[in-house]
Each structure stands twice: as C-alpha cells, then as structure tokens.
Amino acid sequence: MTTTQEKKAQPALRRSGDWARRAPLLPALVFLIIVTQLPFVGTLVISFMNWNAYYPDERGFAGFDNFARVLTDVTTREAIVTTIVLTVSVVLISLLLGMLIALLLDRAFLGRGFVRTMMITPFLVVPVAAALVWKHALYNPEYGLFNGLLTGIFGAGAPQPDWVSTMPLTSVVAALVWQWTPFMMLIILAGLQSKPLDVIEAAQIDGCSPFQVFRHMTFPHLRQYLELGGLLGSIYIVQNFDAVFTITSGGLGTANLPYTIYQTFYNAQDYGRASAAGVVVVIGTILIATLALRTVSSLFREEGSR
Amino acid sequence: MTATVERRTLTPSEAAVAPPRRRRSGTFLGVLAWLIGILFVLPVVWMVLTSFHSENDAATNPPSVFAPLTLDGYANFFGASTGASPWPPLLNSMTASVVSTVLVLLLAIPAAYALSIRPVRKWTDVMFFFLSTKMLPVVAGLLPVYLIAQGIGMLDNIWLLIVLYTSMNLPIAVWMMRSFLAEVPVEILEAASVDGASLTRTLRVIVMPIVLPGIAATSLICFIFSWNELLFARVLTATVAQTAPVFLTSFVTSQGLFLAKVCAAAVVVSLPVLIAGFAAQDKLVQGLSLGAIK
C-alpha cells in the first residue's frame, strides 16, 4: 500500500518544489515567531507606556519617558555597569582558564578521561543548586568550607572573612567562573582536537619550541573557537539571573540588568520601566549577537569549503 | 600546505633526546591537570559529602570531613519532619522537561531536514533567524508573556512552561539536528533515490540510523536546559506548577541549621542533569556551541 502511494508522491513532490521543501520548516518557524517575537513586540509597545500595576488609572502613552528614567536612574545605571563588569570578567577569566586547562587535557596522561569528567561536573550542577552550595556551604563565614579550610590550615587565629559581604561581586564572579570554565574548556578542547596534527608534528621535528608551536600554529587555529566560546558565554552570562538572585539577592551592588528588570516588574510592578530596561538589554545583546553571528558564519564558510 | 610537508621519521639521536624530556614535563603537567580537576570538582564533592552529614556535623568549623554518614539530610528534604514536599516540584520539572523535549524534537527534526538534506533557498538566513531568537534575552519578553498568561488564565500552569521551554530549546535543537543531518552523505541519498527507494524508506533505513545518536544528544541537552530554567518558572508559577529550581529558591535565606538539608536538596535536583550530562559528555560541546563545532 505504502509503495504505490510513495511512487505517486515522489514526482508530485518534485513538481511542487519549493513548498514541499518549506513545509517541514514551517511549524517550527511559525511557533518560534509567535512565542518569541510577539512578546518582544509587546515589550517594545509597553516600554512607551506609563503602566504601573499599582496605579492602574494612570495607564497611557509615555513617549520616551521610561527610557529617560531608565538611563538616568542611578540603580539602572549601576545595573548596566554591574552587568558589563560581571559579564566581561566571567567570560575573560573562564576563557583563559578554560584554554589553559584544555591545553593540559589535550595531552595524553594517566586518567585523562577521569580528569575531564571531573572538570565538566561544575557545569552539570543545576545553576540554582550550585549558587546555593556556594552561598551556604562554601562562602558562609561561620561554617563554610573556605573559612573552615583557613582554620584547618592556620589554626584558631586564622582570618575568617565574610566573603559575600566584603566582596559581593567577586563572590558572584568566582562562582560563575567555576561554572563556566568547563564550558569554555569543552569548546576549546574540541578545537584543539581538530587541529592539523601532521603540520605541528613537522614543526616540532624541524625544531620549533613548544611555545613557538603554540604561538604560530595552535593559537591561530584556536582563535575562532575562543571567539565562539567568548561570544556564546557572553550571551548566556549577560542574561544571568540564578547566581545573582541566589548568592546576594541583588544586594551590595551585584544587581545586574536581568535582576533589576525582574525587580522592577515583579516587586515594583512598574511595567513600563521594566520594559524599557528590557529593550536596553536587547540593544546591548544585539551588539554582541552581531559579532557572534559573524564568528559563526565564518565557521559555516569553513564547513562549506571542506 | 599540508600536502607539501614531508613526514619525517625521527633519527636515532633525536629519538634518544626527545622522549625523556617530554616524559618528565609530561608527568608534571599530568599531575597539574589532576590537581585542577580535583579543585573544580571539590565543591560538588563537598556538597555531596555535606548532604550525608548530620546537621551538627555539617555546620562545624573546621569542617568535619570524617563525620559519620547519615541520610537525615535527605529525610528532612523529602519532608519527613518539616516543610513542603519536594515531590510535586520534582514531578513538575520532569513533566515540563520531558514533554517540551518531545515537542522540540517533533518541530526541530523536520525543520533541520528542510535546512540540510534538501535545503530551502536562503537556508543560512533561516538558521540565523533561529539563532537570533536565542540571543533575545529572556527577561525582555517576560512581561508580555506574564500579562497574556494572566489574561487567558494560564498562570501557574505547567503547560505554559512547556510552551516556553519548547521555544527556548527549539533553536538549539534545529542547529544541532542540522549539523547531524549534514553528516549524512548526499551520495548515499542519491544512490538510494536512483535505486527507487521512497522518501520514507530512505529516511527510515539510511537517515535514521545515522542521526539517532544525534537525536539522543539533542534530547539530553534540551532536557538539561529545561530542567535548569529558573526565571520563567519563578515568575510564571506559584504553588501548583512550581518547578524544582523554584523550590530550591526557598533555601536562599536558609540558616546553618539546615546545611545538610540544603546540600541534599541541591544533590537531588542536580542528579537528573548530572546523569544526563555524563551520558552525553561527548556530544555536550556540540550542543552547547549550537552544533557549530563538531
């Protein structure tokens, strides 16, 4: 039964051409446009409105007021700076660490697979759970592991800093670096394992030092993987909510934009201003995203030329 | 360039000099790798160890590593003594993750097929559109979603999360599946069509066996991302549809008396992801880099 149907279907498919090709694509495309694009249009509209759920009577058109308030408001401006500092430091540190660890793991040694598995583990702990463990089990000044180790090493008189209070942003950055270094390491390791081995071997035999090999061969090959890791990492970390929410609850100057927007919308119920801040985040993300797309399309070109 | 380089074998003198030097630095770097690996896994090990300690042993300074092990932390977490049961949130998370993963696959596989094996015109533009939706910060679309859900009475409903998680993971899945489908050699497909094999038969006999591991990896990654999600769940659910990460946020202000319980909670909620992640280790990178790296 099926065979006769398919014989008929085949030429029909070829004739109908484009639409038969597009058909399998459409459900996904339509679904995604409705669920992701329309809400953003909504955000855009609300960002130009006076809309606070606590004052329903004052709803109306606001022009650029929300944007002006967002950009002049000290809290939001601090949140923008915090977001940049947080994202840049987490991405750069985890990228650098990730690269060094990937270089170590690219070599053969006893138990390499096991070390790799240990390295990946931080990335596999649910982000809220990881942040909770850092907050309560590691950073806590009275019974946390860090101060416990200090006591264990230096005795009863050891310094017992209150990590989260004295260095709030650094505490968040450290926890995030711990979670994201494995991600960078995995991408860079994939890059390392795709490098042309024969050329590097030849260079070694011709007397190039390990550093020369790294500087002139490995690193240029790795560049696009570093870029990809950095840009994908930025996209995820700009949006970070879990760690800020859990470790400091946005206090002590660690509130980034996603957390501030969440606050403005969820607690202050100021829909207009939350939306304007959301639009600001999108504009910032578009800048990063444009770079990311360029990197990915260079990977595409490589695939095409293969 | 590669072709012109002549592969030389080591001369005896080179062979005598090179290996010992490499072996000595190799041992050192191997030990260093082990140390870093242990350092990175230490917080997780500490989390697991603390979860098996009694509350008194968990909250000591210096830490009591060799304290007797107990299941009290888990018993407390699962509601033997205090607090709400974690079972409904865990079941909600499982439902949302599994159902949205199935929906993602149903939408993504045909789409990826249309973008790789018989690509539509301007397929790269479509790929970039999918990717761009991933770059739109979640928080920027949250409010309208909240207002619409409120309007149609879908707040605190697990189906709302399922729809959102499907849209969140769909672009990743399309990118991953495309890269897996692109690995199917076109020659085989052409040969099959010359031999008169039907489209469904070709898909079933040739394409499916090649992409099945890819489908498995894609599913695992979608599952992990849905399971981990906090912001949507926190804003859009309350009591009925609460997920496991939201349940965890009730421990944010916990004090020392509950350290073992907090760690037990973190272990239980992380367990499905840890299992899925270790299983998909090799494919993880491909998923995380949206299939751009093989």
Side-chain angles (χ1 to χ4, degrees):
Chain A
M1 187 196 83
T2 37
T3 40
T4 49
Q5 263 184 353
E6 279 153 15
K7 262 176 199 154
K8 260 183 265 167
Q10 270 283 342
L13 202 69
R14 217 162 289 155
R15 237 181 298 125
S16 57
D18 276 0
W19 278 105
R21 285 182 174 212
R22 274 177 213 149
L25 183 63
L26 288 178
L29 210 52
V30 171
F31 178 81
L32 215 60
I33 290 171
I34 293 173
V35 182
T36 68
Q37 308 299 293
L38 291 186
F40 179 64
V41 174
T43 302
L44 207 57
V45 172
I46 299 171
S47 71
F48 288 102
M49 286 171 73
N50 258 329
W51 189 351
N52 188 320
Y54 290 139
Y55 309 99
D57 301 337
E58 292 170 19
R59 207 158 93 182
F61 183 71
F64 285 94
D65 282 5
N66 288 320
F67 289 94
R69 275 163 68 204
V70 160
L71 294 174
T72 52
D73 180 45
V74 183
T75 324
T76 331
R77 269 213 308 248
E78 278 173 358
I80 294 175
V81 175
T82 305
T83 309
I84 294 169
V85 172
L86 190 73
T87 309
V88 170
S89 50
V90 171
V91 169
L92 286 185
I93 298 170
S94 55
L95 205 54
L96 187 70
L97 276 176
M99 185 176 76
L100 293 176
I101 296 166
L103 286 168
L104 279 175
L105 287 183
D106 190 37
R107 316 157 37 88
F109 62 88
L110 194 68
R112 181 166 74 158
F114 190 71
V115 173
R116 199 181 82 143
T117 306
M118 287 200 294
M119 272 306 303
I120 294 170
T121 309
F123 196 73
L124 295 178
V125 177
V126 171
V128 193
L132 272 179
V133 168
W134 277 78
K135 181 188 168 102
H136 290 303
L138 303 182
Y139 283 143
N140 188 286
E142 279 148 42
Y143 47 80
L145 179 64
F146 290 157
N147 284 355
L149 287 177
L150 286 177
T151 314
I153 296 167
F154 299 109
Q160 299 283 292
D162 185 347
W163 304 92
V164 176
S165 310
T166 48
M167 42 184 96
L169 198 57
T170 314
S171 300
V172 176
V173 167
L176 282 172
V177 164
W178 174 77
Q179 263 215 314
W180 283 90
T181 301
F183 171 83
M184 304 299 184
M185 189 274 291
L186 280 173
I187 287 184
I188 296 166
L189 194 59
L192 280 174
Q193 286 170 352
S194 72
K195 75 186 171 194
L197 272 180
D198 43 354
V199 186
I200 288 174
E201 230 169 66
Q204 278 169 343
I205 290 165
D206 289 343
C208 291
S209 72
F211 180 74
Q212 281 174 316
V213 171
F214 178 77
R215 172 75 189 75
H216 296 288
M217 306 183 104
T218 310
F219 189 73
H221 173 76
L222 275 190
R223 231 189 83 170
Q224 58 181 354
Y225 296 94
L226 289 168
E227 283 172 3
L228 186 75
L231 293 164
L232 288 174
S234 313
I235 288 163
Y236 285 112
I237 294 161
V238 161
Q239 302 190 35
N240 182 278
F241 173 76
D242 307 28
V244 172
F245 178 83
T246 307
I247 295 179
T248 60
S249 302
L252 308 163
T254 59
N256 60 352
L257 273 168
Y259 186 84
T260 309
I261 295 171
Y262 164 82
Q263 281 276 328
T264 317
F265 146 57
Y266 201 74
N267 295 345
Q269 301 271 313
D270 193 337
Y271 295 169
R273 209 162 61 153
S275 299
V279 174
V280 171
V281 179
V282 170
I283 293 168
T285 314
I286 287 171
L287 293 176
I288 305 173
T290 318
L291 290 170
L293 288 179
R294 209 175 292 161
T295 311
V296 175
S297 60
S298 78
L299 284 166
F300 256 151
R301 270 201 302 280
E302 210 166 73
E303 186 183 304
S305 66
R306 195 154 43 204
Chain B
M1 194 183 101
T2 17
T4 57
V5 178
E6 202 184 319
R7 300 276 297 272
R8 240 168 14 115
T9 46
L10 292 171
T11 62
S13 61
E14 281 171 337
V17 174
R21 198 185 61 199
R22 280 182 70 176
R23 208 173 300 143
R24 216 176 315 123
S25 69
T27 314
F28 169 72
L29 292 174
V31 171
L32 186 64
W34 267 92
L35 285 177
I36 294 175
I38 290 168
L39 199 67
F40 265 82
V41 88
L42 187 66
V44 182
V45 172
W46 187 245
M47 164 180 101
V48 175
L49 193 64
T50 307
S51 75
F52 286 110
H53 280 163
S54 72
E55 295 294 359
N56 280 333
D57 291 331
T60 57
N61 184 354
S64 46
V65 179
F66 302 107
L69 304 181
T70 157
L71 288 172
D72 287 359
Y74 291 89
N76 286 337
F77 173 63
F78 283 111
S81 54
T82 49
S85 165
W87 285 113
L90 285 169
L91 282 176
N92 280 334
S93 273
M94 199 49 88
T95 312
S97 307
V98 170
V99 177
S100 77
T101 301
V102 171
L103 288 177
V104 164
L105 291 178
L106 289 178
L107 291 168
I109 294 173
Y113 176 81
L115 292 167
S116 57
I117 291 181
R118 288 156 48 83
V120 294
R121 259 181 282 150
K122 298 200 170 174
W123 65 275
T124 46
D125 293 351
V126 180
M127 290 292 286
F128 284 136
F129 168 73
F130 277 118
L131 186 57
S132 70
T133 64
K134 194 66 212 150
M135 291 170 180
L136 204 66
V138 166
V139 76
L142 192 57
L143 176 63
V145 169
Y146 175 85
L147 293 173
I148 293 166
Q150 197 179 38
I152 58 175
M154 287 283 280
L155 281 181
D156 204 13
N157 183 326
I158 200 70
W159 278 97
L160 178 67
L161 284 189
I162 289 172
V163 169
L164 292 172
Y165 291 171
T166 305
S167 77
M168 174 178 89
N169 287 326
L170 190 54
I172 303 172
V174 169
W175 271 70
M176 277 184 84
M177 285 312 304
R178 193 208 69 94
S179 79
F180 288 115
L181 283 168
E183 280 170 22
V184 179
V186 184
E187 297 80 21
I188 297 185
L189 296 176
E190 278 164 2
S193 116
V194 168
D195 291 346
S198 66
L199 179 65
T200 40
R201 194 177 150 75
T202 312
L203 286 180
R204 205 178 61 234
V205 178
I206 299 172
V207 180
M208 269 310 251
I210 299 181
V211 297
L212 213 55
I215 293 178
T218 310
S219 320
L220 283 173
I221 279 175
C222 293
F223 176 85
I224 291 175
F225 280 134
S226 307
W227 185 273
N228 285 354
E229 205 281 332
L230 174 66
L231 186 55
F232 276 141
R234 164 104 193 148
V235 172
L236 301 170
T237 71
T239 47
V240 181
Q242 191 188 57
T243 62
V246 181
F247 186 78
L248 278 187
T249 60
S250 62
F251 294 103
V252 166
T253 53
S254 273
Q255 279 315 306
L257 275 172
F258 301 111
L259 190 60
K261 186 182 172 184
V262 171
C263 285
V267 170
V268 171
V269 175
S270 296
L271 209 54
V273 177
L274 281 165
I275 294 169
F278 287 137
Q281 234 184 84
D282 295 324
K283 298 291 177 192
L284 204 61
V285 57
Q286 191 167 355
L288 298 173
S289 55
L290 302 164
I293 290 178
K294 292 213 187 79

